[in-house]
Structure formats: C-alpha cells, structure tokens
Amino acid sequence: MAKFNYKFNIEAPTEKEADVKMEALTVLASRLSAKELHKLAHVVVNDPVKTAMAKAGLGL
C-alpha cells in the first residue's frame, strides 16, 4: 500500500499529550479503513449519545 505524508497541527496542553494523540491516530489510521474512520468521525461529531456510550464502554 502506498504511503502519504501530511503535515498538520494537534491541539494539546502539552507536547507529551500531543505525542500520545499522534500515536493513537497512527494506530487508528493503520487499523481502520477510510470508510470506518469517516463513520467514526461522523458519530463523534454528530451523535453525542453514541459517543458517550462508547466512552462508558471503554471506561472513560
């Protein structure tokens, strides 16, 4: 599979937290398809009930 490089900013209170976010995003991008990532983003933005349920299921 081809690799593409992107440059973007991550908002976080500290550089350490930004690094953790980047690592998590890298895992998600490598394990989920574009369609799955798009659906996940849609749910997070538009469905607070499902987002809250998912967070509760993860113990967050």
Side-chain angles (χ1 to χ4, degrees), residues 31-49:
R31 301 283 175 103
L32 299 175
S33 69
K35 182 178 178 180
E36 292 166 337
L37 281 170
H38 185 262
K39 180 65 176 180
L40 178 60
H42 177 80
V43 169
V44 170
V45 170
N46 296 304
D47 198 337
V49 174

Side-chain angles (χ1 to χ4, degrees), residues 8-41:
F8 61 96
N9 298 315
I10 297 175
E11 290 186 25
T14 65
E15 186 174 358
K16 183 176 179 180
E17 186 171 331
D19 289 342
V20 170
K21 285 183 171 186
M22 189 63 219
E23 289 174 14
L25 289 170
T26 301
V27 170
L28 291 174
S30 68
R31 301 283 175 103
L32 299 175
S33 69
K35 182 178 178 180
E36 292 166 337
L37 281 170
H38 185 262
K39 180 65 176 180
L40 178 60

